[in-house]
Each structure stands twice: as structure tokens, then as C-alpha cells.
């Protein structure tokens, strides 16, 4: 088959703009349906089981109850959430603030130390063994000491969250420096880079994707630890709300808090991913589905 | 414009107690603006030789000189084109080409090279200036890599299997492209290749290397007229040279295989 014929076929086979738009819209609808199929099915089954009265409603309240409670938690309009009515925003702001404060100090310090460990054998020998041992201590094991040192309040919470955020940031940024392609390093040397240029224009940009992966993990851990910290060390936040509602047997509020934490964690991850994709367009293009 | 001289160069690699002599007693002189290709079976030390001139490796004994000065480290007077194009994936094609001239070391040198835009046009990538390397085909990437080296105006161009990762058609087109570039702006070129046809087509002289230990087996002048074009590859003289070189390289490869089998048995 001649190439001219092939091109002609392509030309004839090209759908007009309207048809293409329609096809794209239907594809978007299909993927939207797929996204919601599983959680939707879970909610429906849960609702039916809860409403059927097979077990006490208070143990596992159906989604409709949780929606009503969540509405009151946020708005304070119906009194459905009782003593917690209208407290959602305060708790959410407290948790979010702690997460970001901990993420900032832990992520920043971790990234800095990780880069230095990757760059310098001396720094590696000084700090890496300590990091490797300490990262195996679960952050929850630090709770007693942090309460003794900082007392009850924001400080131990932010300390614990930062500690959790610290380790993935260290490990990934070290890896980012180490995985620099040898050929790129040689090419940069050949071009005549001095040490400063090698660091700023070759090593650090090459390490950025790994650094961002570390920060993404740090953000995930920060949301795990804020709940732990708020159960044990503070009297506000979604973790505190969850634990307090548990004491008062308000499982609807417990589940509403869990849902809030899940959504906020998801949104925080989207923020990190958004920043990463803006900063590292090249890396997105290189990845499998770019 | 530069002259390269290797004087009794020996290179021994030591790893975990084992000593491997990659090169021994290599004497080689490459003149101003001469195009020299190095061929030989794999493991004969041809890449090591190129790395020594580039300054990535240091000779165990002997000296490598460029314009009389001993080579101690890599530098922009010796541009290297690697097999896997060494473009920075986070820079666009334009930024990659502009990288070299923006370095402090090169701002201090006098560079007689076309500007970035002119080079982009010359290598046929003007329309792709703002693309990232990952968005280019293999041939385009290699053209961008060549441009990013030409832009720092090296006296010597070192090429390590530059077209080895390309498909046969692209490779053939790239050879013609390299010839054109070289005829426009002559430089001393040292090309390492396993493609004997490519070596004969491009070079003024061929250095055939033998392995175990790596050394120069034969130097073959290529007296084919320039400018060379693709049709030359059908000429009897081209074919005669290519066959001669192929025969020598095959002989050496067979000997190397025998040595390897012997040392494996011992």
C-alpha cells in the first residue's frame, strides 16, 4: 500500500469536530461513572443493611445518618450532632494547621539533611546511621517522651507530625541525589561546570522528582500522625473530635470525623501533586502516562 | 582546531584484586581537523581510549596531550557526544543547547560558534525548541546533543558510538548530517564505532584495535574523495576498504575469543 493512499485514508477517516467532541464527552462520562461505581455501591449496601434493622443503628449508623450529622457538625443548624454541633470548622482548622506546621519543619529539615547526606560522605557518616536506626522507631513510641518534654498542647503534636514527615523526606532526597545518571554528570563536567553549577543546575534539578515523592509521603504520614497526636496530646482537632465522640458513643460523629480526615488528607496530597506537576513538567512528560 | 597525541599510553583497571590491562603502549597522533575513527571488537579498549582523551579516565602510564597540554580532567575544549544522548531531561531543547555557553568557564573562553537559534535551525529542531528531550525521537535527541556540544566550540569532538542506539535508516541519515556539519565547520574528530561501514564512510583514517590487552593493531588511511555522499558506499574502493577492515576486526575478535576461552579454562 502506497503512502499517498494511507494519508488519503487518514484524511477521509478523520471525524469532524462535533463528533469528536461528543466522543470525548461520553468518554469523560464513562470514567466519571467508573470513579463513583465502587464507593457508590458500598454506600448503597451499607444504607440498606443499616435501614433493615439487622443491628443497632448506633453501632454502625447508615450513610444517611452520617450525612445529617456531618451537616450539623459543619453548620450547627439542626442540633443532630449534639454537643459537637457546629464545631467542625474549628477542629478542621486546628488539624490542618498542625499538619502543615509539622510537615513544614519535618519536610524542610528532612529534605535538607537528605540532600546533604547524598552529597557528602562526611555528612553521610555523621548522620546516616542515626537516621537509619531512628526511622525504625515508630513515631507513636515518641509520644511519652514528647508529652514529658512539651506537655499537653500544640507543641508535642507538631513535634510528632514533623518527626513523621522528616524520615521519608530524608530517605527520598538522599536517593534523589544518588540516582543521578552518570552520563549526565560526565556531560556536565565536559561542558565545564564548576562545583556550584554542578550542584545548582545538575544535581538538584535531577533530585527534585525524588524530593517531591518524599514530601508526598511526608504529607500522608502527617495526616496519620495528627490523629494520633490529637487523641493523646491535644484537646482540639479532628482526632480529638473522633476520640471524644467515641467516649460518648457517638459513632456517627466518629465516622463523620474519619470521612473528614480522609478528604482533607486527599486534598493535601492533591496540593503536593499540583505543586510537583507545575514545578516538574518535564518529569510528568517522562512518566508512563504523561 | 586541535591536535591530539597519545604517548605510550597504558591503562590498567583494578577491581577486587583483579588487574585488567585495557590499553597498552598506545601511540597515536591525530592532526588538526582530522577525522579519525576507532574500530575493533568489543572489549578492545576503544571506549577507554576515548575516555582518556575526554579526561574521564587517567592513564596508568604515558600521557594524553591536546595541543601539547597534558589532559588532566574533562573540559569544554573536548566535546563529547555519548551513545545515550546526554541531554538534561528538565531542560527544553533550547535550554539544553544554551546550557554550555551559560557556564562561567565558557563565558571566559572565546567561543566561535553559531548562536542558539541558528544551531536549532541547523540541526532541524527549531520547531521543537521548547520541547523536552523525552518528547523527541532518538535521532532528534542525538541532533540536539550534537548541537549542545557544538555550541561550546570544542577543538576536539569525541563521539562514543553516537548513532549506536538508532535504527539503521536514522543512523544512515545522521552520518550524512554529521558529514555536512563537519564539512561546514571542521574539527578534530575522534569517533568510536562498531559500525565499520560508518567508520570508512566518515573518517580520514581508521585505527583498528586489538584486544587482550587493548592495543593499536593497524592504521588504515581512507583516501576516498570529499565531500562524500551516500552513493560512495557502492563504490568498489569503499567496499574494498570496508571488507579489509572487517576481515582484520573479525580476526582479532576470534583471537580475543580464544584468549578468553583459554583464561576461562585455566
Amino acid at each position: 500500500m502506497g503512502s499517498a493512499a494511507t494519508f488519503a485514508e487518514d484524511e477521509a477517516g478523520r471525524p469532524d469536530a462535533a463528533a469528536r467532541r461528543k466522543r470525548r464527552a461520553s468518554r469523560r462520562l464513562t470514567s466519571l461513572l467508573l470513579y463513583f461505581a465502587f464507593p457508590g455501591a458500598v454506600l448503597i449496601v451499607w444504607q440498606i443493611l443499616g435501614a433493615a434493622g439487622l443491628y443497632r443503628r448506633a453501632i454502625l449508623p447508615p450513610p444517611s445518618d452520617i450525612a445529617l450529622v456531618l451537616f450539623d457538625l459543619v453548620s450547627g443548624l439542626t442540633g443532630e450532632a449534639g454537643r459537637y454541633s457546629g464545631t467542625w470548622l474549628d477542629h478542621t482548622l486546628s488539624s490542618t494547621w498542625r499538619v502543615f506546621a509539622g510537615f513544614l519543619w519535618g519536610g524542610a529539615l528532612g529534605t535538607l539533611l537528605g540532600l546533604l547526606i547524598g552529597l557528602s560522605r562526611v555528612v553521610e557518616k555523621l548522620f546516616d546511621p542515626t537516621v537509619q536506626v531512628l526511622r525504625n522507631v515508630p513515631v507513636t513510641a515518641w509520644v511519652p517522651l514528647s508529652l514529658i518534654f512539651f506537655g499537653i498542647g500544640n507543641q508535642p503534636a507538631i513535634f510528632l507530625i514533623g518527626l513523621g514527615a522528616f524520615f521519608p523526606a530524608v530517605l527520598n532526597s538522599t536517593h534523589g541525589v544518588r540516582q543521578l545518571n552518570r552520563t549526565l554528570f560526565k556531560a556536565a563536567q565536559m561542558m565545564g561546570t564548576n562545583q556550584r553549577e554542578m550542584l545548582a543546575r545538575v544535581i538538584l534539578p535531577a533530585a527534585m522528582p525524588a524530593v517531591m515523592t518524599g514530601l508526598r509521603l511526608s504529607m500522608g504520614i502527617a495526616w496519620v500522625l495528627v490523629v494520633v497526636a490529637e487523641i493523646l496530646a491535644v484537646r482540639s482537632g479532628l482526632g480529638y473530635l473522633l476520640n471524644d465522640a467515641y467516649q460518648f458513643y457517638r459513632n456517627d460523629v466518629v465516622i463523620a470525623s474519619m470521612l473528614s480526615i480522609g478528604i482533607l488528607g486527599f486534598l493535601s496530597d492533591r496540593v503536593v501533586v499540583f505543586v510537583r506537576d507545575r514545578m516538574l513538567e518535564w518529569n510528568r512528560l517522562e512518566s508512563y502516562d504523561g | 582546531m586541535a591536535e591530539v597525541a597519545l604517548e605510550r599510553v597504558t591503562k590498567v583497571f583494578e577491581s577486587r584484586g583483579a588487574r585488567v590491562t585495557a590499553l597498552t603502549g598506545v601511540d597515536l597522533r591525530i592532526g588538526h581537523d582530522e577525522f579519525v575513527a576507532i574500530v575493533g571488537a568489543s572489549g578492545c579498549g576503544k571506549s577507554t581510549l576515548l575516555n582518556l582523551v575526554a579526561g574521564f579516565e587517567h592513564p596508568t602510564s604515558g600521557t594524553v596531550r591536546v595541543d601539547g597540554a597534558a589532559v588532566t580532567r574533562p573540559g569544554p575544549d573536548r566535546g563529547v557526544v555519548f551513545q545515550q544522548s546526554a541531554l538534561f531531561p528538565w531542560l527544553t531543547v533550547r535550554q539544553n543547547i544554551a546550557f554550555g555557553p551559560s557556564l562561567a568557564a565558557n563565558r571566559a573562553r572565546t567561543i566561535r560558534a553559531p548562536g542558539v537559534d541558528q544551531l536549532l535551525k541547523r540541526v532541524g529542531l527549531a520547531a521543537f525548541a521548547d520541547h523536552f528531550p523525552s518528547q523527541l525521537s532518538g535521532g532528534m535527541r542525538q541532533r540536539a546533543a550534537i548541537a549542545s556540544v557544538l555550541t561550546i566550540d570544542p577543538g576536539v569532538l569525541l563521539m562514543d558510538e553516537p548513532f549506536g542506539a538508532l535504527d539503521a535508516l536514522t543512523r544512515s541519515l545522521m552520518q550524512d548530517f554529521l558529514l555536512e556539519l563537519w564539512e561546514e565547520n571542521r574539527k578534530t574528530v575522534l569517533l568510536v564505532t562498531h559500525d565499520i561501514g560508518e567508520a570508512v564512510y566518515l573518517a580520514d583514517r581508521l585505527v583498528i584495535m586489538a584486544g587482550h590487552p587493548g592495543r593499536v593493531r593497524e592504521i588504515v588511511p581512507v583516501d576516498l574523495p570529499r565531500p562524500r555522499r551516500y552513493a560512495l558506499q557502492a563504490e568498489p574502493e569503499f567496499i574494498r576498504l570496508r571488507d579489509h577492515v572487517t576481515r582484520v576486526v573479525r580476526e582479532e575478535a576470534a583471537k580475543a575469543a580464544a584468549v578468553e576461552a583459554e583464561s576461562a579454562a585455566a
Side-chain angles (χ1 to χ4, degrees), chain B residues 33-44:
Chain B
D33 297 348
E34 191 182 12
F35 198 131
V36 169
I38 302 177
V39 294
S42 54
C44 68

Side-chain angles (χ1 to χ4, degrees), chain B residues 197-235:
Chain B
E198 173 174 288
V200 176
Y201 185 43
L202 298 176
D204 296 318
R205 262 197 309 159
L206 303 187
V207 176
I208 306 175
M209 292 190 61
H212 299 285
R215 61 199 185 280
V216 175
R217 154 78 199 261
E218 190 179 330
I219 292 181
V220 182
V222 182
D223 292 322
L224 298 168
R226 292 191 188 271
R228 296 177 188 167
R229 290 297 170 258
Y230 184 71
L232 177 72
Q233 301 193 15
E235 298 282 330

Side-chain angles (χ1 to χ4, degrees), chain B residues 113-163:
Chain B
V116 172
D117 283 305
Q118 217 180 324
L119 265 170
L120 272 168
K121 228 177 274 168
R122 185 63 193 89
V123 298
L125 291 174
F128 296 87
D130 298 319
H131 284 54
F132 289 102
S134 61
Q135 297 169 292
L136 305 182
S137 69
M140 290 159 93
R141 271 205 283 268
Q142 215 49 313
R143 277 183 277 149
I146 291 172
S148 73
V149 170
L150 291 181
T151 189
I152 51 172
D153 187 26
V156 184
L157 194 57
L158 304 169
M159 309 183 94
D160 190 0
E161 307 261 16
F163 311 137

Side-chain angles (χ1 to χ4, degrees), chain A residues 174-249:
Chain A
T174 300
H175 171 70
V177 173
R178 295 272 164 81
Q179 49 93 52
L180 173 67
N181 180 323
R182 260 193 74 73
T183 306
L184 282 188
F185 185 81
K186 285 162 80 176
Q189 275 187 316
M190 171 271 289
M191 298 268 194
T193 47
N194 58 32
Q195 268 193 321
R196 196 189 54 75
E197 288 162 337
M198 183 66 92
L199 179 65
R201 300 184 59 184
V202 180
I203 295 173
L204 290 183
M208 278 317 287
V211 167
M212 293 309 290
T213 301
L215 290 179
R216 200 176 165 192
L217 293 170
S218 296
M219 182 58 93
I221 287 187
W223 276 103
V224 172
L225 288 172
V226 77
V227 175
V228 174
E230 286 169 352
I231 287 175
L232 297 167
V234 221
R235 305 226 172 280
S236 64
L238 290 165
Y240 170 77
L241 175 66
L242 182 148
N243 190 49
D244 197 66
Y246 159 70
Q247 313 280 346
F248 286 90
Y249 204 55

